[in-house]
């Protein structure tokens, strides 16, 4: 540490080396956008039934026509619809010469297209097959051309392009539309809050430059690792990384700056004061970084690809921020010398510590711990009651918070053809080798049609070239993404199995594919992952707290407050987004994301408080140490929490339901941790437990003349085991 901060010159060298390192990595690494992979973000595990069904379909029913775009048309009557369809088909056929990606066009008059037109002829669907990769810009351009053609040819009729091709294109557009807003909004918001807190534009620049260096480090290293195949990075992960690093990075800068100010009271030599400040916060920040990194890596225990791919890049980002926060940012502070606190002077800045508000808070907790405990618990339990309206949504399209043509098209299909037509399921029945060459497929179709909630079964099943596998298209009466439809998948498989047995097909293999089965497999994997990841994260946090506090008891009640904070956060978020705003449900991965992030980040503020409390015990008895720790850490931790909550709140500007709900929940949860759990609930519990709050660690002496470490800046402590 002396090497980095022993003088202003050494600090300048450290800053220069960091800039060179980041510049070299940036020149060698590919662009993050070039290695992002969004194709598997919503996939179930590879061993799932729906994945096996898709592999079977690709093998037995190869399709060369590409990805379907569904054009849905609705006119004033059957005649108007037919005329619009004719114009649209003619327009598409005329454009195929210039757009070879348009492989085929299927209408209601094509063989097997009877179900593409309503009985009254008022609505009709056209299936346009497009070749190419849906994630490529050329494919998206083709969808754009198709939409222009349809819009011009439809005339007075309503028309929209949806289906897998339209959905994939809209998904890319929705995600990309919010990136710049997210980055600029985060920078602007953090800069304003920092300026209000610091009252120094120089400190604001120092904090933001530190975040920028850490972000660039994480992006370049992450891009190289993703390019090498170590892990995947999705657009959603990159968005969350932006707000995470701004929040965590400014938090660490606030903590270091606050201790630096305290140290300057007794130590006018700036390098010496900085080293004293870093010694005072090193244990807390190291514990914070370790907790967040390990919590992110705990996601590797998940079987859901979306969860497994979420952790490594974010862990890399926080580790980068911790490294930058301990080296680059303090060095940059020293480099500015006495101008760091401009327009204030160093002496005036050093004199700012504590705060009357937090003195009153500590007085309240010290005077009435039972009342504080009961009132905070009741408030958190009331928020938790919002979970009575909790339900999950697996409908990805309904999660767009802006209008898209693919969603409009799906709604048109649901209104005209029935909600189940949005995404029919496929049931595959495969006969064992050596069995009868002509199974009674019709009996299986009849068995599927008898299942409650099935609107229709395709008139003729598709049969593989060898005649051993049949594919039955099954349309439900309700939304294929609804819980009712998802619960019906197992019933559908059992009905097919029973029908195959009754048809004399022994040991037939039955697989259910399609969007509903896909969602069922995601739900099953998440149900498993939620418990495994949550338990692992709690064990990690408990272990870090036990090591930091040298206590067995403290992690128990601190973990309890974290869990209660999570349930209150999720309950209030559910009440706001589902009950009040009318969302179809909480995004299926949002709850576990909230848990991991809220526990890992929320415990930070408790770590900073408890670490300071433990240090103050070297000069104060427990009751007085708690008051001093709460008063001295209150302002800086609350400022840090406000910034972190504000950065996550920026996610509510995003046009995706999952990011909106996640950002809102994190803002709520961090504010609860900052202004309720950490300053009120936790100190009230400690005050009631008394001297055994860190059992089995106990203060060694009863202090007759306690030293005021708020003036000395002294850290450390002497402990014994009882």
């Amino acid at each position: 540490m002396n090497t980095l901060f022993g003088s202003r010159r050494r600090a300048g060298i450290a800053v220069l080396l960091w800039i060179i390192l980041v510049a070299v990595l940036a020149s060698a690494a590919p662009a993050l956008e070039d290695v992002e992979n969004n194709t598997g973000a919503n996939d179930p595990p590879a061993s799932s039934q729906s994945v096996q069904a898709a592999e079977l379909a690709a093998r037995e029913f190869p399709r060369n026509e590409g990805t379907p775009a569904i054009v849905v048309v609705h006119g004033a009557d059957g005649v108007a619809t037919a005329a619009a369809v004719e114009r649209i088909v003619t327009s598409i056929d005329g454009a195929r010469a210039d757009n070879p990606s348009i492989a085929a066009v299927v209408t209601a008059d094509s063989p097997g297209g009877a179900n593409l037109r309503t009985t009254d002829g008022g609505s009709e669907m056209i299936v346009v097959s497009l070749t190419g990769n849906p994630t490529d810009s050329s494919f998206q351009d083709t969808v754009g051309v198709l939409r222009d053609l349809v819009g011009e040819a439809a005339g007075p009729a309503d028309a929209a392009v949806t289906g897998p091709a339209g959905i994939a294109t809209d998904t890319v557009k929705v995600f990309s539309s919010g990136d710049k807003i997210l980055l600029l909004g985060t920078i602007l918001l953090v800069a304003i809050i920092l300026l209000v807190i610091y009252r120094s534009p120089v400190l604001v620049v120092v904090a933001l430059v530190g975040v920028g260096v850490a972000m660039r480090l994480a992006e370049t290293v992450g891009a190289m690792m993703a390019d090498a195949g170590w892990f995947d990075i999705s657009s959603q992960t990159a968005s969350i990384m932006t707000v995470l690093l701004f929040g965590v990075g400014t938090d660490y800068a606030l903590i270091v700056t606050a201790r630096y100010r305290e140290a300057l009271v007794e130590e006018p030599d700036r390098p010496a004061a900085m080293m004293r400040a870093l010694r005072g916060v090193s244990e807390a920040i190291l514990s914070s970084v370790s907790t967040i990194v390990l919590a992110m890596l705990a996601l590797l225990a998940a079987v859901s690809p979306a969860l497994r791919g979420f952790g490594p890049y974010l862990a890399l980002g926080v580790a980068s921020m911790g490294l930058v926060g301990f080296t680059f940012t303090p060095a940059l502070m020293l480099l500015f010398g006495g101008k760091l606190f401009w327009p204030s002077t160093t002496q005036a800045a050093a004199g700012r510590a504590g705060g009357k508000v937090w003195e009153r808070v500590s007085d309240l907790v010290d005077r009435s711990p039972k009342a504080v405990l009961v009132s905070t618990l009741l408030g958190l339990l009331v928020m938790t009651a919002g979970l009575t309206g909790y339900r999950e949504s697996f409908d990805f399209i309904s999660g767009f918070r802006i209008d898209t043509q693919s969603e409009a098209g799906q709604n048109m299909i649901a209104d005209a053809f029935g909600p189940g037509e949005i995404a029919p399921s496929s049931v595959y029945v495969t006969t064992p080798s050596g069995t009868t060459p002509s199974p009674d497929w019709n009996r299986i179709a009849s068995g599927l049609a008898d299942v409650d909630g099935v609107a229709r079964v395709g008139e003729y099943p598709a049969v593989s070239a060898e005649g051993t596998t049949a594919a039955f298209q099954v349309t439900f009466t309700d939304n294929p993404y609804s819980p009712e439809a998802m619960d019906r998948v197992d019933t559908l498989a059992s009905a097919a199995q029973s029908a195959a047995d009754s048809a004399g097909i022994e040991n037939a293999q039955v697989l259910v594919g399609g969007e509903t089965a896909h969602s069922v497999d995601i739900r099953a994997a998440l149900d498993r992952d939620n418990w495994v990841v949550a338990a692992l994260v709690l064990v990690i946090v408990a272990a870090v707290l036990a090591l930091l506090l040298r206590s067995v008891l403290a992690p128990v009640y601190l973990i309890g407050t974290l869990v209660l904070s999570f349930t209150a956060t999720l309950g209030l978020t559910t009440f706001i987004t589902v009950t009040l705003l009318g969302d179809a449900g909480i995004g299926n991965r949002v709850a576990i994301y909230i848990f991991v992030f809220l526990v890992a980040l929320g415990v930070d503020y408790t770590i900073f408080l408890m670490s300071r409390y433990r240090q103050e015990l070297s000069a104060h008895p427990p009751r007085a140490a708690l008051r001093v720790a709460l008063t001295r850490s209150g302002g800086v931790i609350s400022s840090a929490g406000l910034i972190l909550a504000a950065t996550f709140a920026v996610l509510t500007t995003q046009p995706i339901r999952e990011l909106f709900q996640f950002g809102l929940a994190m803002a709520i949860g961090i504010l609860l941790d900052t202004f309720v759990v950490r300053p009120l609930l936790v100190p009230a519990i400690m005050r009631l437990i008394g001297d055994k709050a860190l059992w089995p660690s106990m203060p060694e002496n009863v202090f007759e003349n306690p030293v005021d470490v708020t003036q000395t800046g002294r850290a450390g402590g002497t402990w014994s085991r009882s």
Side-chain angles (χ1 to χ4, degrees):
M1 197 172 288
N2 281 324
T3 302
L4 288 176
F5 309 118
S7 67
R8 190 174 178 182
R9 179 174 176 273
R10 291 178 181 177
I13 293 174
V15 170
L16 180 61
L17 289 176
W18 263 111
I19 294 174
I20 293 173
L21 172 64
V22 171
V24 170
L25 289 174
S27 64
L32 187 64
E33 296 79 6
D34 294 340
V35 298
E36 286 181 354
N37 180 13
N38 298 303
T39 56
N42 295 295
D43 287 344
S47 60
S48 299
Q49 176 184 208
S50 61
V51 176
Q52 295 179 33
E55 292 172 349
L56 175 66
R59 185 172 62 251
E60 299 295 337
F61 306 98
R63 293 173 53 188
N64 298 318
E65 66 271 23
T67 305
I70 299 176
V71 182
V72 55
V73 185
H74 178 73
D77 52 33
V79 175
T81 299
V85 168
E86 183 178 356
R87 291 194 301 270
I88 291 171
V89 172
T90 300
S91 180
I92 294 174
D93 285 339
R96 290 178 66 177
D98 296 327
N99 293 274
S101 297
I102 302 176
V105 179
V106 178
T107 68
D109 296 323
S110 303
N115 294 318
L116 297 179
R117 179 185 293 138
T118 58
T119 54
D120 63 358
S123 296
E124 195 166 332
M125 289 186 288
I126 307 166
V127 180
V128 182
S129 297
L130 306 178
T131 59
N133 189 332
T135 61
D136 291 343
S137 58
S138 58
F139 183 93
Q140 294 151 27
D141 291 341
T142 300
V143 173
V145 170
L146 179 62
R147 283 176 167 166
D148 290 339
L149 293 173
V150 170
E152 293 175 2
D158 294 328
V161 177
T162 183
I167 293 171
T169 299
D170 285 341
T171 300
V172 172
K173 289 183 178 178
V174 168
F175 271 100
S176 61
S177 66
D179 287 346
K180 292 182 179 178
I181 296 175
L182 179 68
L183 180 60
L184 294 176
T186 303
I187 293 174
L188 181 62
L189 184 61
V190 170
I192 292 173
I193 297 176
L194 283 175
L195 192 58
V196 172
I197 293 171
Y198 281 142
R199 287 172 277 179
S200 167
V202 178
L203 273 170
V204 174
V205 171
V206 169
L208 292 179
V209 169
V211 172
V213 170
M215 184 175 294
R216 197 68 185 124
L217 175 65
E219 286 178 349
T220 53
V221 176
M224 288 189 288
M225 296 174 76
D227 192 45
W230 288 28
F231 52 75
D232 290 332
I233 301 174
S234 68
S235 298
Q236 189 168 337
T237 306
S239 296
I240 294 177
M241 170 72 95
T242 299
V243 298
L244 178 64
L245 287 194
F246 270 97
V248 171
T250 51
D251 277 8
Y252 293 162
L254 277 169
I255 300 299
V256 172
T257 302
R259 276 301 183 94
Y260 182 43
R261 283 173 169 172
E262 289 186 31
L264 285 171
V265 173
E266 290 293 321
E267 181 56 75
D269 180 69
R270 293 189 187 92
M274 179 60 75
M275 287 187 285
R276 176 182 289 191
L278 291 176
R279 283 195 297 269
V281 300
S282 59
E283 190 176 45
I285 293 183
L286 180 60
S287 299
S288 168
V289 172
S290 300
T291 302
I292 300 173
V293 169
L294 291 174
M296 295 300 108
L297 293 179
L299 291 169
L300 291 174
V303 296
S304 306
L307 292 184
R308 285 184 58 85
F310 204 67
Y313 182 51
L314 296 178
L316 172 65
V318 174
S320 300
M321 191 67 253
L323 184 60
V324 169
F326 256 119
T327 55
F328 176 84
T329 302
L332 193 58
M333 289 181 181
L334 288 178
L335 199 58
F336 277 98
K339 296 180 181 179
L340 180 65
F341 302 105
W342 181 88
S344 180
T345 64
T346 301
Q347 291 76 17
R352 295 193 207 117
K356 292 185 178 180
V357 172
W358 294 104
E359 289 178 2
R360 288 194 289 269
V361 170
S362 63
D363 288 342
L364 174 64
V365 174
D366 185 68
R367 183 177 62 252
S368 307
K370 289 183 180 179
V372 171
L373 177 63
V374 171
S375 59
T376 52
L377 286 177
L378 285 176
L380 293 172
L381 289 174
V382 168
M383 296 179 193
T384 300
L387 289 175
T388 55
Y390 181 83
R391 59 178 180 270
E392 293 181 344
S393 174
F394 290 81
D395 189 348
F396 182 71
I397 298 301
S398 71
F400 293 156
R401 301 186 70 85
I402 58 175
D403 293 334
T404 61
Q405 193 170 148
S406 57
E407 183 179 14
Q410 283 204 356
N411 291 336
M412 291 174 64
I413 293 173
D415 292 340
F417 294 87
E421 293 290 351
I422 293 174
S425 294
S426 296
V427 179
Y428 301 94
V429 180
T430 302
T431 63
S433 58
T435 58
T436 174
S438 301
D440 187 358
W441 300 123
N442 290 331
R443 182 172 295 186
I444 297 175
S446 298
L448 293 173
D450 290 338
V451 174
D452 289 339
V454 171
R456 67 176 181 84
V457 177
E459 186 176 357
Y460 302 105
V463 181
S464 63
E466 296 181 357
T468 57
T469 299
F472 302 84
Q473 188 180 73
V474 179
T475 302
F476 294 139
T477 57
D478 43 22
N479 188 318
Y481 299 99
S482 66
E484 294 77 13
M486 293 169 64
D487 293 340
R488 199 179 295 123
V489 168
D490 287 343
T491 304
L492 208 61
S494 298
Q497 193 72 60
S498 298
D501 292 341
S502 64
I505 307 174
E506 298 181 357
N507 301 318
Q509 180 190 29
V510 176
L511 293 172
V512 181
E515 291 298 308
T516 306
H518 184 90
S519 298
V520 168
D521 290 336
I522 291 176
R523 182 176 66 178
L526 287 173
D527 286 345
R528 177 263 183 198
D529 290 343
N530 288 348
W531 289 105
V532 171
V533 172
L536 188 55
V537 169
L538 290 179
V539 169
I540 289 170
V541 171
V544 172
L545 288 173
L547 290 172
L548 172 67
L549 303 176
R550 321 296 198 265
S551 172
V552 174
L553 177 61
V556 175
Y557 61 78
L558 293 177
I559 288 292
T561 63
L562 290 171
V563 173
L564 183 56
S565 177
F566 163 72
T567 58
T569 297
L570 188 57
L572 185 54
T573 302
T574 300
F575 178 75
I576 293 173
T577 60
V578 178
T579 306
L580 294 183
L581 299 182
D583 281 357
I586 299 294
N588 54 76
R589 298 188 301 271
V590 170
I592 189 60
Y593 288 163
I594 295 171
F595 183 87
V596 172
F597 276 83
L598 192 57
V599 169
L601 296 174
V603 76
D604 276 4
Y605 303 128
T606 299
I607 285 175
F608 295 142
L609 171 67
M610 299 298 287
S611 175
R612 187 63 184 257
Y613 168 69
R614 186 170 172 273
Q615 291 176 6
E616 299 297 347
L617 283 168
S618 64
H620 294 280
R623 184 172 175 179
L626 180 60
R627 287 175 53 86
V628 173
L630 184 56
T631 301
R632 298 294 290 175
S633 67
V636 62
I637 294 178
S638 297
S639 299
L642 185 62
I643 290 177
L644 188 59
T647 56
F648 275 103
V650 176
L651 286 173
T652 60
T653 64
Q654 298 302 284
I656 300 102
R657 176 186 57 203
E658 280 70 17
L659 288 179
F660 175 87
Q661 293 175 342
F662 176 67
L664 177 64
M666 288 303 300
I668 291 172
I670 290 168
L671 290 176
L672 284 177
D673 279 328
T674 303
F675 295 102
V676 177
V677 175
R678 189 265 313 166
L680 297 174
L681 181 58
V682 170
I685 294 173
M686 295 173 64
R687 171 72 176 81
L688 291 171
I689 295 176
D691 293 354
K692 296 183 179 180
L694 297 183
W695 183 88
S697 295
M698 297 288 288
E700 196 169 81
N701 302 302
V702 175
F703 299 91
E704 296 180 356
N705 297 300
V707 178
D708 186 359
V709 294
T710 65
Q711 297 299 319
T712 64
R714 180 180 164 194
T718 305
W719 289 78
S720 67
R721 299 278 179 184
S722 61

